[in-house]
Amino acid sequence: MMSGRTSKPTVGALPDATADSPVVPVALTWIAWSLFAASVVVLLARVRFDAAWEIPGAVRVDGLTALMWVVVTFFSGVVHSYSRRYMAGSEHGVEFFGNVFSFTIAVMGLVAADHVALFALSWLTMGLVMARLIGTMKGWNQARVAASVARRYFLASSALLAVSLTTLWHATGATTVSGIAAAADGLGGPVWLVAAVALVLAAMIQSALVPFHGWLLSSMTAPTPASALMHAGFVNAGGVLLIRFAPVVTVDATLMLGIVVVGAASALLGKLLKTVQTDVKSELGCSTVGQMGFMIMQAGLGFFGAAVTHLILHGFYKAYHFLGAGGRVERTAPTGSETREATAAGVAVVLATGLAGGVVFAALTGKGTSVDSGLLLVAFVVLTTLHAARGAVERASLPAAARYGAVPLVFLPAIAVYALVYEAVSGVLSGLPVVAAPTELSVLHALVALAFVAAYVAIEAGLHERSRRLYVALVNASRPASGTLLTTTEEYNEY
């Protein structure tokens, strides 16, 4: 390089997504945004008239349907628009757009389905189409293997759902989701247990909870917009399933506690697995595993409105981060971020902000004011606020006094907004059979909560970093299927 001069490689202009674009991507993008506009109208009408529209025995459009239609079609519209440039020039472009649109229709059908056969068919279709999106780049053997891995998981999830729905139909005589919900009070015994456990397992697989997270971490060959759709929409299906069949899973408090346990375990392990990842997409994948654990945990506590709120906000968060993942990759030496040592004042500010956040949430939602699982929901809010406030205090590039003053001024209004969104979502869901079913606290609840908090604090303190054996175990647990690994640069070129 000559002195005083720099050189930058020229890679050419980005393709123009509007020039010579095939008609199929253009048309499907337009239809996706039209569906979003129509879904907004349906949601507003649902809120205004507080009624459910249905084709008896087949389809039912209630609050959950309208809300999820808006969310799903919005993400679909964004992915369609983003992909116009991302997939420009790819020989798989038309097929990719067809699969994205088919996935959108499958999810819309799932959240509207009332007949159990239509529900099961939508669930199966959703999984098979997502597997096709994961394997879009057919020139990569790794992409084909990743699609095959995902397909096996999704078929297993569909089989479990079929077992559950068949069992519930046999036990209640109802062929609709609403009919099963109406007859759920009479469920119990081994038949109910088989149906409920199969439901939970199907939800765990679809939401990539530990130990079923392998398909998600093996899907990194998927095009970035497909990953955004997967992490912002597909994994939420587990939460939707539990909400739809809330009258079934809330029959027994022991099962609900079990759901809390599996959700808490996945939340903690997802956080741990994230610490050993070396690339952006894998970090985001492990983050999804943890966040889906939190969502399932909220459902287990009986607060299905909170679970829906979580999946919606997480969807926006992950869609943004996946579609912007390229911006985080810089071809420079890693510099790291400045982290300050904890001070007494900083610890006091973090603790006060976390506790105040819990008080604000409880005051605005009424949760945590009784001795029931609402206390654990508020504790979850406190823990989340503590984590975020701690990060801001330690890493914000501001003078100490400004940081300490800004933390409560930023986070407390954010908690208030979250609480109001939660209340609004719960209001939209008010027509569902079960929106909130808090359970009485038991000794087991206390033990689970203490174990969770102790493990969370240990992770935040970095105690896990002192064990080489744990590090190796985490690396092995987060290792994708061997056939999906891209090991040489030539394997990235499908042509």
Side-chain angles (χ1 to χ4, degrees):
M1 182 183 297
M2 297 180 62
S3 177
R5 299 182 64 181
T6 61
S7 63
K8 293 183 179 180
T10 301
V11 297
L14 289 171
D16 186 354
T18 61
D20 300 324
S21 182
V23 66
V24 171
V26 175
L28 293 182
T29 302
W30 184 87
I31 295 173
W33 283 115
S34 298
L35 287 175
F36 169 67
S39 298
V40 171
V41 172
V42 171
L43 178 60
L44 293 175
R46 171 69 181 81
V47 172
R48 174 66 178 83
F49 299 108
D50 193 26
W53 303 283
E54 62 180 322
I55 300 175
V59 172
R60 182 178 176 84
V61 180
D62 55 16
L64 179 62
T65 304
L67 184 61
M68 295 309 299
W69 275 0
V70 170
V71 175
V72 169
T73 54
F74 175 77
F75 290 146
S76 177
V78 170
V79 168
H80 274 84
S81 297
Y82 181 94
S83 301
R84 291 278 303 282
R85 171 166 286 173
Y86 186 94
M87 297 299 292
S90 171
E91 64 178 348
H92 306 302
V94 173
E95 180 186 0
F96 176 81
F97 275 88
N99 286 330
V100 171
F101 188 77
S102 298
F103 175 80
T104 305
I105 297 302
V107 177
M108 293 181 72
L110 177 75
V111 296
D114 194 29
H115 197 285
V116 293
L118 180 58
F119 190 94
L121 180 62
S122 299
W123 185 273
L124 174 63
T125 302
M126 182 177 62
L128 294 179
V129 174
M130 180 51 68
R132 288 178 62 85
L133 285 168
I134 291 172
T136 294
M137 300 304 176
K138 295 180 176 59
W140 296 354
N141 182 59
Q142 291 85 350
R144 293 197 300 270
V145 174
S148 178
V149 169
R151 191 177 298 110
R152 289 197 296 271
Y153 275 90
F154 302 155
L155 288 174
S157 174
S158 296
L160 286 166
L161 180 62
V163 168
S164 178
L165 295 180
T166 302
T167 304
L168 291 170
W169 164 70
H170 176 74
T172 64
T175 58
T176 60
V177 176
S178 56
I180 291 171
D185 289 342
L187 293 172
V191 172
W192 164 82
L193 185 61
V194 168
V197 170
L199 272 177
V200 174
L201 289 174
M204 289 176 66
I205 293 173
Q206 213 80 349
S207 291
L209 265 63
V210 176
F212 306 114
H213 60 293
W215 73 263
L216 187 70
L217 301 186
S218 298
S219 67
M220 298 305 163
T221 56
T224 294
S227 294
L229 200 60
M230 183 193 314
H231 290 258
F234 182 81
V235 294
N236 293 333
V240 172
L241 179 63
L242 293 183
I243 294 158
R244 272 290 179 231
F245 290 90
V248 175
V249 297
T250 54
V251 165
D252 186 82
T254 302
L255 177 67
M256 294 291 283
L257 179 59
I259 295 173
V260 172
V261 171
V262 299
S266 194
L268 291 172
L269 288 172
K271 186 175 178 65
L272 280 171
L273 294 173
K274 183 180 176 182
T275 64
V276 299
Q277 303 309 307
T278 58
D279 63 274
V280 173
K281 289 184 75 173
S282 293
E283 282 187 7
L284 290 172
C286 291
S287 170
T288 294
V289 172
Q291 290 300 320
M292 290 300 98
F294 277 117
M295 180 192 69
I296 296 296
M297 186 165 57
Q298 288 171 321
L301 292 174
F303 297 102
F304 296 98
V308 173
T309 304
H310 190 96
L311 69 84
I312 291 172
L313 296 179
H314 173 261
F316 280 99
Y317 174 82
K318 276 296 160 61
Y320 168 78
H321 278 281
F322 263 101
L323 296 180
R328 291 183 57 190
V329 180
E330 298 180 3
R331 295 182 180 276
T332 56
T335 58
S337 56
E338 182 182 358
T339 302
R340 300 170 176 81
E341 293 294 331
T343 63
V347 171
V349 168
V350 169
L351 288 175
T353 302
L355 294 174
V359 171
V360 169
F361 181 80
L364 292 176
T365 64
K367 304 300 182 289
T369 56
S370 302
V371 184
D372 57 25
S373 55
L375 286 172
L376 300 184
L377 182 64
V378 173
F380 160 71
V381 172
V382 171
L383 207 60
T384 303
T385 309
L386 286 173
H387 172 74
R390 175 173 175 260
V393 165
E394 292 181 352
R395 292 182 174 85
S397 56
L398 293 171
R403 277 184 286 123
Y404 297 159
V407 164
L409 292 178
V410 170
F411 286 103
L412 295 184
I415 293 298
V417 170
Y418 170 71
L420 294 175
V421 171
Y422 169 44
E423 287 294 289
V425 169
S426 297
V428 172
L429 302 179
S430 59
L432 297 181
V434 177
V435 177
T439 57
E440 293 184 3
L441 293 181
S442 65
V443 175
L444 290 176
H445 281 95
L447 291 175
V448 170
L450 288 174
F452 181 84
V453 171
Y456 194 92
V457 170
I459 295 171
E460 287 292 298
L463 297 182
H464 62 287
E465 297 174 355
R466 303 176 187 178
S467 172
R468 292 184 179 181
R469 181 172 296 182
L470 177 59
Y471 175 83
V472 172
L474 292 173
V475 170
N476 289 334
S478 60
R479 182 178 175 82
S482 58
T484 67
L485 295 173
L486 294 167
T487 56
T488 64
T489 55
E490 288 78 9
E491 292 174 336
Y492 287 84
N493 184 3
E494 63 170 328
Y495 306 108

